[in-house]
Amino acid sequence: MHSTFTGLAGAHRFTLLASAAAFVITTPAVAMAQDQEPELEAPESSNQIIVTASKREQTLQETPISVSVTSGEVIEQAQIRDVLDLQTLTPSLRVSQLQTSSASTFIIRGFGNGDNNFGVEPSVGVFIDGVFRSRSAGALGDLNNIQRIEVLNGPQSTLFGKNASAGVISIITREPQFEFGGSVEASYGNFNNIFVRGDVTGPITDNIAFSLDGTYQNRDGTSEIVNLGVDQNDRNRWSTRGQLLIEPTADFRIRAIADFSRIDEICCQVGTVVAGPTAPALNLLGGQLQGFDNFFDRTANLNTVPVNEVDNYGGSIQMDYSTGPLSFTSITAYRELDNFFRSDIDYSGADIAIEQRDQGVKTFTQELRIASDFDGPINFLLGGFYFDEKITQESQIENGDQIRDFFEILAGGNPADVLSGAPSVFNGVEAALGLPQESIFLTPLLTNENFQMDNTAWSVFGTVDFEPFDGLTLTGGFNYTDDKKDFALSQNSFDPLGQVNLVDAFITRFLTGGAVTTRDQFLALPQAQQDALAAAALNPAVNPFLGLAPFQFQPPFLAIPNAVEDGRTRDDKFTYLLRAAYQVSNEVNAYFSYATGFKASSVNLSRDSRPLGTDFVAGPGNSTFLAPNSPIIGAGIATPNLVSGTRFAGPEEAEVYEIGIKGQWPGIGFNLAVFDQTIQGFQSFAFTGTGFALRNAGEQSVKGFEFDATIQPTDGLVFTFAMTHLDPLFDSFTGSVVGDLSGQRPAGIPAWAISTSATYTHEWDSGTKLITRLDYNHESNTDINNGLPTFNAALGNTEIFRREVNLVNGAVTLALNSGIEVGVWGRNLLDDEYILTVFDGVAQSGTVSGYPNQPRTYGGLVRFRF
């Protein structure tokens, strides 16, 4: 049986798809540019797009890479506020924002990770003005003063120093100009959405120019915390950026950038998709779940207002020098990211548990490049990249005032006794196990943690282009990366029940009368006696404490480094590119390429970090007495209830075969890429209901194609159409959190994604313009995930939640010849409703929670250009 939540997938869907088929236009195709050389402007009569995908200026037609580019003009017209909105224009890109304002994942061709754990680096590299943003939280501010955004599909390790195994997003801002000018814009919309942005640029001297830009956005929440009377999913953020462009000579230029952005929001609303058997216990405590009777009513019950604070700031200096046929580039950058959040993790009005994290990231990067522009048949690019980063995290889980009552009821306690404060189940457990009375789940904190990671990496990369005859270019590229991570994790677990292994304690207290208190003493017994004690202690009919195991959420944590685990990863890899590009005619170009990619190991910086199975194997019932010999047992450092898992996931190694053809004629252009892409060891990060599991999928692949086209049938009218088809497969994934997924289709990856638009510009003789834009984004119906470890496991993985996306956006702008512009805009105009993702209710077996999409938004704006 399938429980399906989709958007307006009935009457509207076929109309929209039919309309989409009538459009033909290109979702900007792009190439990734780390260098910030001036963009070459094509003539107004041309529909050519200039990109720097291979770090050389080329037209889109000439660029032998599958890329998409969105211009600053389109970003303004379509009211693209941030990268979350960008995916509606780029069908191979998906961006999700889930638990907090900073927890976002970038996905290209179905590959992407790293949203909720700072130790997991993203598989999609994000660069802003050539500077690598190592965590998605550092790339989530409002987009302003953008020149273009380029998305490179597939592995891009050859030219990018770190973490481009799935693709690259490059955001390129406008550089300062030597002519004075600028703009200011104010917009007001529903939910009291106030959005203000502006920029100014001009000369300081004959060879120094400046620019300054900023944004401010404030919006009421699109959902409500009913019991607290507070909006949720609001917007409260601002940003500023200053630049200097210095050109001492015609051959030497320096671009310096400093920026700061702040997010301070109440995010993110969670609804109940399925209310499980724990819901009545929550109801008794006044913690009613919201949403299960109407998921899209966008309401929640919480016992505390969530806090999301993100400060992201830094600076960079880019220097470019040319001499004859050689050009040199240096990009030096330093950035800091401060991320704090505090949220109710049981997502109910009951006071059960609150999680808090305070994370910091400090990153230094240096890139050097030399490129040639010889007249002969051979040209090259050679570069180096250095990366040095330090991550810190202090976090904790606070026990709420009602957590003991909640678990007492779930453990079989009489609700009346629990609510009246009469002695109940846990009092008896405390007495039997020798724990202090009124101690279980009554400590102020359940856990607190201190994590840190130092990461240094360097790489050398380059390409050589050989043109044996006119029209044919053969390219070879390489990248060698060396990556080192040193990490340390420590945690205090305070709940006394979690400190007790229920098998070992039963042997000690009830079967041997305290005579056996250690593993060595147990192993000194005759084998027959060991077997008899083990059989009794593991028998629920004999050992009544075994039923308490589900309440041991946070047992003692084995800190790392330790006597067995060194807390280090050391990775290095040589990746390469082979490509042939041929200019069939002045209008048509074709290419074939084979490329490999690499992403280094990711570290599980969370309280769910556990030793590898090669270092420790728990005994039955997580017993230490019954555990087989292992390095950790031998070192005498095993903690009660310790289990094996992962401290880190090994590297990802990608490869892709791609063939493409691009055509450009007056008024029409298209790009087509067909690919077969595989990632070995994809780093899967999944929520299990009480924690997160990080592990490598054996192999995940995807076959598909990307097509985009642009038609300009007459002056002022432009149609665009872009489509991506993906056919993904878990070739091998035996260790997923829901069992063996080998041979199954990875969920969350729609088979079809479409982005299409129509833009009409009517210009009067006076120069005044009326610009009308309508765009549509579709994702075909697909499973949201491959199952939930708790909910679906109990049902044999037979109930999988699905979603379909149909978004219609539009804008109309009247641009007067005086520089004043007025307009109206709307996003999700048909108010399509769908679930972003679902997950097991936290410590609530059988409950399913989920995140709804954003509702319809609309507003008006005034802009002045000068």
Side-chain angles (χ1 to χ4, degrees), residues 102 118 337-341 357-361 392-394:
S102 60
F118 272 22
L337 172 66
D338 299 322
N339 182 51
F340 176 86
F341 75 81
R357 294 187 204 172
D358 191 354
Q359 301 166 307
V361 183
T392 59
Q393 174 177 318
E394 294 180 356

Side-chain angles (χ1 to χ4, degrees), residues 132-150:
F132 178 52
R133 302 292 178 97
S134 65
R135 298 298 180 275
S136 60
L140 296 178
D142 289 326
L143 299 173
N144 191 40
N145 207 26
I146 300 298
Q147 179 173 303
R148 65 183 183 273
I149 299 178
E150 307 178 348

Side-chain angles (χ1 to χ4, degrees), residues 49 141 165 173 177 231-233 289 308 320 327 393 402 411 521 536-537 560 590 714 723 781 812 829 833:
I49 299 172
S165 59
T173 66
Q177 302 296 306
D231 282 351
Q232 195 174 12
N233 286 9
L289 298 172
N308 294 256
D320 297 286
S327 60
Q393 174 177 318
Q402 294 177 301
Q521 291 174 340
I560 183 173
T714 185
M723 172 189 292
N781 205 310
V812 179
L829 286 171
E833 296 178 335

Side-chain angles (χ1 to χ4, degrees), residues 640-725:
N641 295 315
L642 183 64
V643 297
S644 58
T646 60
R647 299 290 197 182
F648 59 88
E652 294 180 354
E653 298 184 7
E655 70 170 4
V656 61
Y657 296 87
E658 184 171 303
I659 186 169
I661 184 169
K662 304 188 177 194
Q664 190 74 54
W665 296 269
I668 185 171
F670 79 91
N671 306 284
L672 173 67
V674 181
F675 55 86
D676 185 346
Q677 185 172 329
T678 301
I679 290 187
Q680 296 273 357
F682 178 73
Q683 295 166 356
S684 172
F685 188 62
F687 183 63
T688 63
T690 55
F692 288 88
L694 174 64
R695 56 196 65 183
N696 291 101
E699 180 177 300
Q700 182 177 336
S701 62
V702 62
K703 298 178 176 65
F705 68 84
E706 293 153 338
F707 173 80
D708 64 70
T710 304
I711 290 182
Q712 187 173 356
T714 185
D715 286 347
L717 180 61
V718 177
F719 295 110
T720 68
F721 179 83
M723 172 189 292
T724 295
H725 173 63

Side-chain angles (χ1 to χ4, degrees), residues 173-345:
T173 66
R174 297 187 181 102
E175 64 181 27
Q177 302 296 306
F178 285 93
E179 227 178 89
F180 182 76
S183 67
V184 61
E185 174 186 322
S187 174
Y188 181 80
N190 61 332
F191 301 106
N192 288 319
N193 187 355
I194 299 171
F195 182 67
V196 179
R197 62 181 167 190
D199 63 272
V200 61
T201 186
I204 298 176
T205 68
D206 288 344
N207 57 8
I208 301 176
F210 82 97
S211 69
L212 182 66
D213 66 82
T215 67
Y216 170 78
Q217 184 174 186
N218 188 281
R219 186 193 70 192
D220 294 344
T222 58
S223 63
E224 181 185 6
I225 306 173
V226 177
N227 59 316
L228 300 181
V230 176
D231 282 351
Q232 195 174 12
N233 286 9
D234 67 343
R235 281 292 176 93
N236 183 19
R237 54 182 64 182
W238 62 271
S239 66
T240 185
R241 176 174 49 234
Q243 300 188 58
L244 287 177
L245 179 62
I246 306 170
E247 297 184 345
T249 69
D251 299 323
F252 182 46
R253 67 201 313 266
I254 301 170
R255 185 183 183 188
I257 304 174
D259 67 271
F260 181 94
S261 66
R262 169 166 290 175
I263 296 174
D264 184 1
E265 297 174 349
I266 301 173
C267 189
C268 298
Q269 189 247 322
V270 171
T272 303
V273 183
V274 177
T278 62
L282 288 173
N283 292 340
L284 287 171
L285 299 173
Q288 286 80 5
L289 298 172
Q290 291 287 120
F292 61 92
D293 53 348
N294 182 6
F295 181 79
F296 292 104
D297 69 359
R298 305 184 189 279
T299 61
N301 277 329
L302 302 174
N303 72 285
T304 189
V305 177
V307 177
N308 294 256
E309 298 174 351
V310 185
D311 287 346
N312 175 37
Y313 50 96
S316 64
I317 297 176
Q318 176 170 333
M319 295 184 289
D320 297 286
Y321 176 67
S322 299
T323 174
L326 298 178
S327 60
F328 302 83
T329 297
S330 168
I331 303 176
T332 307
Y334 176 79
R335 301 205 59 80
E336 292 196 16
L337 172 66
D338 299 322
N339 182 51
F340 176 86
F341 75 81
R342 178 179 172 84
S343 61
D344 180 350
I345 56 175

